[in-house]
Amino acid sequence: MRITRSSATGAAAPAQWFTGDAWIEPVAEPEGGARTQIDSVRFAPGGRTVWHRHPLGQVLVVTEGTGRVQRRGGPVETIHAGDTVHIAPGEWHWHGAAPTVPMTHLAIEPIPDDGAAPETGAPVTDGEYRDGHLADAEDIPPITRSVLLDQLLPAPRSTHRVEVRRITIAPGHAAGLHVHNGPVFGSIEKGSAVYQIDGEAASVLGPGDVFYEPEDVRIARFDAQDEGVTFLGYFLLGADETAAIEFLDS
């Protein structure tokens, strides 16, 4: 028996295979006579593969979120957590996340004895990606609203102003253990980061994800991944208060 702990990150997917952001973490690789490759693939909202096909086909098992899949000549299909997609040998297809929701799936691929690799085609255009999901104009609401975060503060707070900052962290750079003198809310614009409040589980934030850093609480990790990360930070401040961050020794 061998247990491999999740990295909570995965490697950035190769650009020639994907449009948008995606991350791949190997689950099982061919070894000891086994001829099956299994990867966990996480797509940011709107992320998708290029058109491609596998010599012996592929099975996708959606483990989180909502996505889309299409075979050449067929409609775009919506897939949800718990769905399984069986792709025939040599069948041209693509798969990815929904426009506003990330998606994670297991990709299970038999490996041919001759080692033949999957074949890539053209990127999936925006028109192909939307195909089958365009409602009639009269059915499209003029305004849509979604609650991304509804966060209670530990105690009532007098907020005189909100300072909004666009912050970029270089690829592979860790922000370090720190605390803020006031509550901070944020949303990821591009890239990804590992986020962790001290003593709690780490999570990976990607484009469209939101987060909350409580006042005077130790933030153990805000670590940019291979592609770096850019996010908006919203600092809630009192009348004579200035946003401050204190970096701590671990």
Side-chain angles (χ1 to χ4, degrees):
M1 177 183 291
R2 182 180 67 196
I3 298 175
T4 302
R5 305 298 180 186
S6 172
S7 67
T9 56
Q16 67 268 28
W17 267 88
F18 292 81
T19 296
D21 293 318
W23 302 267
I24 301 175
E25 183 170 9
V27 175
E29 298 181 304
E31 59 180 22
R35 304 298 298 170
T36 302
Q37 170 83 32
I38 305 175
D39 295 312
S40 178
V41 186
R42 180 177 185 266
F43 297 84
R48 66 255 192 194
T49 67
V50 301
W51 284 99
H52 63 285
R53 59 181 176 177
H54 303 270
L56 299 182
Q58 186 182 47
V59 175
L60 307 177
V61 180
V62 183
T63 57
E64 185 179 4
T66 301
R68 293 179 177 180
V69 65
Q70 182 184 25
R71 63 178 178 84
R72 181 154 290 169
V76 176
E77 305 277 0
T78 298
I79 50 178
H80 303 279
D83 290 347
T84 300
V85 182
H86 295 266
I87 299 158
E91 183 174 59
W92 285 100
H93 67 287
W94 64 267
H95 39 99
T100 60
V101 181
M103 188 266 288
T104 301
H105 66 51
L106 293 177
I108 305 168
E109 179 186 358
I111 305 301
D113 291 337
D114 63 2
E119 181 181 356
T120 60
V124 176
T125 67
D126 290 343
E128 290 173 320
Y129 179 69
R130 295 192 304 265
D131 181 39
H133 293 268
L134 295 177
D136 293 333
E138 60 269 21
D139 295 331
I140 300 176
I143 300 174
T144 59
R145 297 179 176 89
S146 300
V147 176
L148 300 181
L149 179 66
D150 186 357
Q151 179 66 52
L152 288 175
L153 298 179
R157 187 177 215 281
S158 176
T159 299
H160 180 72
R161 64 191 181 93
V162 177
E163 183 175 290
V164 182
R165 301 179 180 179
R166 175 174 283 110
I167 301 170
T168 297
I169 302 177
H173 183 75
L177 182 66
H178 63 277
V179 298
H180 291 280
N181 65 332
V184 178
F185 294 84
S187 60
I188 305 297
E189 290 191 314
K190 62 181 180 179
S192 65
V194 178
Y195 170 65
Q196 183 180 21
I197 293 177
D198 196 28
E200 300 184 8
S203 60
V204 178
L205 302 175
D209 290 339
V210 297
F211 61 91
Y212 163 57
E213 298 190 9
E215 177 180 0
D216 293 329
V217 170
R218 290 157 59 100
I219 306 302
R221 299 180 68 186
F222 204 106
D223 303 348
Q225 300 304 281
D226 292 342
E227 69 276 36
V229 65
T230 297
F231 61 94
L232 294 178
Y234 301 83
F235 297 76
L236 278 60
L237 302 170
D240 298 315
E241 196 172 22
T242 300
I245 182 171
E246 179 184 1
F247 292 96
L248 309 171
D249 294 330
S250 57

